[in-house]
Amino acid sequence: MKLHLLRHPRPAVDHGLCYGASDVPADAAALDQVLAALLEAGLPGSLPVYTSPLRRCRDLASALTPAALHVDARLAEMDFGAWEMRSWSEIPRTDVDAWNADLLHYRPGGAENVMDVARRVAAFRAALLAAEATEALVICHAGTIRLLLAMRPGLSLEQAALDAASTPHRIGYGELQVLDIR
């Protein structure tokens, strides 16, 4: 199956904020720019469109294809609990260090950990494969995309999650990546 993985447009939040599961909208100009680029590229065409329920993803997906939209909570970004909508510089260094020491199981802000997110993303991936579609457009978040890219045959979910969590994040807003999954 070929997945077209698209990170949402730049959100309408101040730079440096932890906004994970917060339902913030996309910046209007950034949304228009990404939408125009997708339509120019012929996407989604006849592809099914799956989206995170968070507005920065869902608004773009709705503009692309309001009728054939699959909103899936398993695609949401990680919930950072008490860290949400706080500046990264405000979060105590000891908390960030504790997360770095246990990337998979520490719960930033007391909410989800990377393994929680990996399990739900893996369940989404398995459902797509079971549906036997040949291609889909998935509009989601950098964390979700990193996990999908890391999930490879023969690799445990824990190892894929660790690979995703320990790899520097370099997925730009509105960036499209193509992934073949089996």
Side-chain angles (χ1 to χ4, degrees):
M1 171 176 221
K2 182 189 274 188
L3 293 183
H4 300 264
L5 303 172
L6 179 72
R7 184 178 183 201
H8 59 79
R10 182 175 40 82
V13 297
D14 290 337
H15 180 75
L17 284 184
C18 174
Y19 58 88
S22 296
D23 198 16
V24 297
D27 173 83
L31 189 144
D32 290 345
Q33 183 179 16
V34 172
L35 178 60
L38 288 170
L39 294 173
E40 185 176 313
L43 288 171
S46 62
L47 298 181
V49 177
Y50 295 85
T51 184
S52 160
L54 300 177
R55 288 182 5 205
R56 57 192 181 268
C57 298
R58 192 184 68 237
D59 288 351
L60 175 61
S62 293
L64 282 169
T65 178
L69 190 56
H70 305 279
V71 179
D72 197 313
R74 296 173 294 189
L75 294 171
E77 185 58 280
M78 186 166 158
D79 185 346
F80 289 93
W83 292 9
E84 292 281 334
M85 299 309 291
R86 290 179 62 193
S87 169
W88 284 102
S89 63
E90 289 177 14
I91 297 167
R93 185 68 206 174
T94 54
D95 292 352
V96 174
D97 290 343
W99 185 24
N100 283 327
D102 187 5
L103 287 173
L104 296 183
H105 302 104
Y106 182 80
R107 295 183 178 280
E112 283 187 297
N113 64 35
V114 170
M115 284 306 298
D116 293 334
V117 181
R119 280 188 279 280
R120 62 180 165 78
V121 171
F124 169 78
R125 183 183 185 278
L128 270 186
L129 288 170
E132 298 183 359
T134 57
E135 211 168 340
L137 173 61
V138 179
I139 302 172
C140 56
H141 310 272
T144 309
I145 292 170
R146 290 167 61 191
L147 283 162
L148 286 166
L149 292 171
M151 292 176 183
R152 298 181 298 280
L155 200 60
S156 72
L157 183 58
E158 189 167 273
Q159 187 57 56
L162 185 58
D163 288 354
S166 60
T167 302
H169 163 12
R170 292 192 173 91
I171 302 169
Y173 295 118
E175 184 176 328
L176 181 68
Q177 298 192 24
V178 178
L179 172 66
D180 286 315
I181 64 171
R182 300 188 197 316

